Each structure stands twice: as C-alpha cells, then as structure tokens.
Amino acid sequence: MRDGSGRRPGAGSDSGERNAGTRPARPLIVTEDPTLLDDLLRLCAAAGAEPEVHHAVPERRAGWTDPPLVLLGDDAAARCRGATRRPGVLLVGRERDDPAVWRLAVETGAEGVLLLPGAEGRLVDLIADAVEGGGRQALTVGVIGGRGGAGASTLACALALAAARAGQRTLLVDADPLGGGLDVLLDGERAEGRRWPDFAASKGRVAGRALEESLPLVRGVRVLSWDRGDPVPVPPEAMRSMLAAARRRGGAVVVDLPRRIDDAVTEALAQLDLGLLLVPGELRAVTAAHRVAAAAGPVIRDLRAVVRGPYEAGLDEHWIADALRLPLAGELPEDAGPFAAGEGGPPPGADARGGLARFCAAFWQRVLVPEGAA
C-alpha cells in the first residue's frame, strides 16, 4: 500500500510506445478509507493501471489536473470542495442509502457517482479507457477479398507496414485461420511472442498494453497471427476482447478477413471503422465480390471497393465500384507487386518506393485524422 505522499515505484516505459521513455498515464485515488483504498487498488490492477494515492487534493496543481482520471472517495469529498474543477472526476462510495453522496458529487464537480461493489465492472472499464490511449481509439481497417486469391492478405500486410512507417502504433490481426499466417507473409514466423491459440479462451476485458507487449514485433508492426499447429477455433468473445484491447491503444489496427463469414468474423466486422473489398478486374471476380459484399456489408458501417488490374475488356475501376454499389477507395497501380501466394521475396509493401507501398501511404494520408485535429 502507498503512503499519503502517493509515492511508489513507477512502471517502466513501454517498449511498444513510439515515444520511448514516457511513463504510462496514472489515475489518482483520493481517500483515507483503507477498505475503499484496497478495493480501488484492486480494480486499478485489474485494469492494468498504476495509480497515485493521496489523502486529499495534491499540493501541486498538476498532481490534481494532470491524471487522466480521479477516483475521489466519498470520505474525502468534503476536503476537496475547493479543488480546481476538471473533467474525469468520479465520486466512489459504497452502496448505501445516503443521499448526501449525490450532493457531494455536485459540490466537487464529479462527473458521476459509482457505488461499490455493484459498479466494479464499470469502474474497471473507465480506468482502462482512461490510461490506454486518452480516449482516441485506433482507426480499424479490415481487408476482405472479393474472390479467392484476390490478395487481401497482401494488401493487409502492406497497409500495416505503411502505417508503421507513418509513425502510427500499428497492430495487424490475422482473422483467417486457414490463410497460412500473416507472420509468414511478413517473414516473421520466428519472431517471439504469443499467437491466436494463446488467446482463444479469452473473455471479458483484456489490457491493451499487455496484449501489445505480448505479440511478435515484425518490421515495426505488432502481429496477432496463428502458430504452425492445427487451427484453433476462436470464439466471438475472444475476437471481441482482442480487437477491443487493440483499438484502445490508438494508432491503426488492420484486420485480414476471410471470405467465410462465421460468428467470430461477424464480431470482427462489427468493430471495423472501414472495410476494404479488394476486387480484381474480372467479371467473375465482380460477381463473387457482390456475394461477399451482400454478406459483409450489413455488418460493416463503411465498406469500400479497392480495384486492381489488369482489366477484362470493358471493365475499369469505376465500372466495378458502380456494379458493386460501393464507394471506390482507390485503384492499385499496375506496379503494385505480386498478389499471388508463394511469390517469395520481401514482404508486400516493404519497399516504400513501390506502387503498393505508395498506394497504402496515400490511403492512410486520406483516412487518418492527426492527433488533436478537429
């Protein structure tokens, strides 16, 4: 337990952060109630957070205004009436019939009242949200092939590499257990870290930082892929937990999706901000892509077409997008590189000067909103 000074050894810097040496955000607990303090420390630990603890408003102004979240015990609220008003203050107490707690919340400018033990789950979520990304979730993009062999995995890998080159924290998720493994495509199958079988039984909240640190790091990209064993079923709950944790870390998340839509894939589709349907310039591919769009489109909030040549006679990117009734996200250039499996060579999009990498860089420039932009 910490003493009233609030001092305790801080966690080390996160090796996955772009800005090495920055300390993770720490919530502030203000209470003298030892039972309440023990409960709040336990809930912070469940959320993967290292709090500061004080018995009253910290003497330094920044000690009160800088933490992403303040958990104000109802025993200490009266002593904090004159504190600077700030967002992110929650009054925490016990479930008892005491209307005074709501009056204290108004007097201290608290945004809400959470009563334990009933609100424990909600409080863990709020703590984790506060310390894992400052509220801005990752832009999550899914790639799905319009037909078999369209090159969805290739485009997904190239998008992830381009996002990492642009300085984004990037996580690449392989949602296709029969696809051969994105770590292989990135030439990172021997990189140390956990794979999907380690997470298949996951339920509930997963700490985003812990997930990120546990995954293989390949060319600046964290990769959640498959091992070389037999495919392991991933329940929808596990898919939901993994993607939610990845999204809370901010940056960019790229998901390589199979054309087969099962419950786990449906869960992945529902968490996308943007879906890209990759369609070769062939009439049969357009017909197949129409079926994929009909299955995935109702779940994805924003599905767009990416078209690649060469084209059959009479087809072009605009005709194909119109035929699918989808917005056109772009056309891959003719020098976009190999899209057939087993081509060998460097990972797709690894050469920043190549057509595929340039396409992906331009894509991120269009869709990523800079931090702090309106």
Side-chain angles (χ1 to χ4, degrees), residues 144-179:
I144 187 168
R147 64 155 170 79
S153 297
T154 295
L155 179 56
C157 287
L159 283 170
L161 291 176
R165 277 195 297 268
Q168 296 292 324
R169 173 188 281 112
T170 307
L171 197 150
L172 176 62
V173 179
D174 188 349
D176 185 0
L178 304 180

Side-chain angles (χ1 to χ4, degrees), residues 116 138 227 259:
L116 305 181
D227 62 13
R259 297 171 64 240

Side-chain angles (χ1 to χ4, degrees), residues 7-36:
R7 299 288 186 262
R8 67 165 291 168
S13 62
D14 178 5
S15 60
E17 301 275 2
R18 292 296 173 199
N19 298 320
T22 58
R23 192 170 69 172
R26 301 174 70 178
L28 171 65
I29 296 175
V30 181
T31 183
E32 280 188 310
D33 183 336
T35 302
L36 180 60

Side-chain angles (χ1 to χ4, degrees), residues 7-157:
R7 299 288 186 262
R8 67 165 291 168
S13 62
D14 178 5
S15 60
E17 301 275 2
R18 292 296 173 199
N19 298 320
T22 58
R23 192 170 69 172
R26 301 174 70 178
L28 171 65
I29 296 175
V30 181
T31 183
E32 280 188 310
D33 183 336
T35 302
L36 180 60
L37 177 58
D38 285 344
D39 284 339
L40 293 178
L41 292 177
R42 172 174 54 83
L43 297 176
C44 284
E50 286 278 353
E52 295 277 356
V53 178
H54 288 260
H55 296 329
V57 176
E59 293 181 4
R60 291 189 312 110
R61 177 185 172 89
W64 171 259
T65 59
D66 287 0
L69 186 69
V70 176
L71 305 178
L72 177 60
D74 58 354
D75 66 293
R79 298 193 298 276
C80 298
R81 284 194 179 102
T84 302
R85 295 296 177 105
R86 52 148 294 170
V89 177
L90 298 174
L91 186 63
V92 185
R94 293 283 169 191
E95 288 186 342
R96 53 178 176 255
D97 187 15
D98 184 4
V101 71
W102 301 97
R103 184 176 65 254
L104 285 171
V106 173
E107 292 174 352
T108 57
E111 293 183 343
V113 175
L114 294 177
L115 301 179
L116 305 181
E120 285 191 355
R122 172 65 175 156
L123 186 51
V124 170
D125 285 348
L126 291 172
I127 295 169
D129 286 341
V131 300
E132 291 183 356
R136 181 183 289 277
Q137 290 198 332
L139 179 67
T140 304
V141 177
V143 185
I144 187 168
R147 64 155 170 79
S153 297
T154 295
L155 179 56
C157 287

Side-chain angles (χ1 to χ4, degrees), residues 157-240:
C157 287
L159 283 170
L161 291 176
R165 277 195 297 268
Q168 296 292 324
R169 173 188 281 112
T170 307
L171 197 150
L172 176 62
V173 179
D174 188 349
D176 185 0
L178 304 180
L182 292 186
D183 55 348
V184 176
L185 193 57
L186 286 173
D187 195 25
E189 65 270 26
R190 300 189 184 190
E192 294 185 1
R194 302 175 72 182
R195 265 72 174 179
W196 263 120
D198 298 311
F199 301 107
S202 297
K203 294 181 180 179
R205 193 179 193 96
V206 175
R209 183 181 297 274
L211 172 65
E212 182 180 22
E213 292 178 343
S214 72
L215 297 177
L217 179 63
V218 184
R219 295 175 179 262
V221 176
R222 294 286 180 179
V223 184
L224 176 53
S225 189
W226 304 86
D227 62 13
R228 307 287 78 84
D230 293 334
V232 175
V234 174
E237 295 83 2
M239 183 67 73
R240 182 184 309 119

